[in-house]
Amino acid sequence: MKTKLLSFAIIFSALIYGLSAQAHDPKEHMQDAKKPDCAAMDNMDQSKMDMNDPVMQAMMKQCMNGMKHEQKSGDNSQKKNKQEVEVPPINDYEATKHNH
Amino acid sequence: MVAKKILSCSKCLLIAAVLTMLGGLAFLYSGLYPMGADVPHNSLTFWALETLRENSVARAADDIEVPQDLQSSNRLLAGGADYNDMCVGCHLKPGKKQSDFSLGLYPAPPNLSLNDDEHGSHEGELSAQQRQFWIIKHGIKASGMPAWGSGHDDERIWNMVAFINKLPDLSPDQYQILTARGENSTGHH
């Protein structure tokens, strides 16, 4: 009887501990995740953009990821454009932007 | 004669100490101290608690090793999303001056979207980063600041420190982009 109670207590504690460890899993936040408003980058003063600045690099990554995602989904659905569009490295972002 | 004087003096001190202790206990049990968060501490209590907190954190955080890559963009992205989900309600963001939590908590949580001088901290960069890491990981007793270390590993906490260090320089637009977890929908055209 005591062994059963002890086993139950251990399993219950482990379960609670496991659940608490998952409480802040980033995936949980994805349910109401907002999308980055990359259009706002158009309004930023490009003369002040420093590509070596980690903030700027992070913004590029955020917005480039989205563009890559869009391009892939566009290719899959339409299958019109057979040319593979490569996402340029961060430092080539400005050149890409002017081409679009 | 001298020995008698010393003895009587020590007796007086002992009696004074006992009376002080009894007075303190009586005050604790009396319920006279206002515990509501809407009534500030008196200046002596505030000074004592703040001094206790700052020295305790400084001592505990002193030997924490700060990662070399704290400036990396990947850390900013990871830390930004977590900051937005877990910290912004109390510590605010660019363009947001107050919230229910920042108004109601006592002591008031620092507005981390302001630079150090604006929210009253005057530390060196290294000390500030060690302190931020320790506080995020261990929390602060009776302040509303939880110990995030129970559910977050050190790397994840350092990501938040990296983001907090850049936060005062961000515009509201930059903040939105860096903290969004979802995929970009609008892109550039």
Side-chain angles (χ1 to χ4, degrees), chain A residues 24 29, chain B residues 79-91 146 148 152 156 160 181:
Chain A
H24 296 289
H29 297 292
Chain B
D82 273 350
Y83 180 89
N84 196 46
D85 289 327
M86 294 181 277
C87 315
V88 73
C90 298
H91 295 292
W148 293 105
H152 300 73
R156 204 163 161 197
M160 279 192 267
R181 284 193 195 274

Side-chain angles (χ1 to χ4, degrees), chain A residues 24 26 29-30 34-39 41-42 44 54-55 58-59 61-63 65-66 70 93 97, chain B residues 71 73-74 76-77 85 148 152 156 166 170 173-174 176-178 180-186 188-189:
Chain A
H24 296 289
H29 297 292
M30 291 304 287
K34 288 184 179 173
K35 294 170 179 174
D37 179 16
C38 293
M41 287 184 76
D42 288 335
M44 293 177 190
V55 172
M59 288 170 64
K61 281 181 185 172
Q62 276 284 72
C63 294
N65 285 342
E70 275 191 353
Y93 171 75
K97 188 168 177 282
Chain B
Q71 300 284 326
S73 52
N74 286 337
L76 285 181
L77 287 177
D85 289 327
W148 293 105
H152 300 73
R156 204 163 161 197
K166 290 289 179 190
L170 299 182
D173 287 338
Q174 288 175 320
Q176 198 283 332
I177 293 171
L178 292 189
R181 284 193 195 274
E183 290 280 356
N184 166 32
S185 63
T186 51
H188 287 261
H189 303 285

Side-chain angles (χ1 to χ4, degrees), chain A residues 74-83:
Chain A
D75 287 348
N76 290 338
S77 60
Q78 296 176 3
K79 292 184 179 178
K80 285 178 182 174
N81 185 4
K82 291 185 180 177
Q83 286 182 326

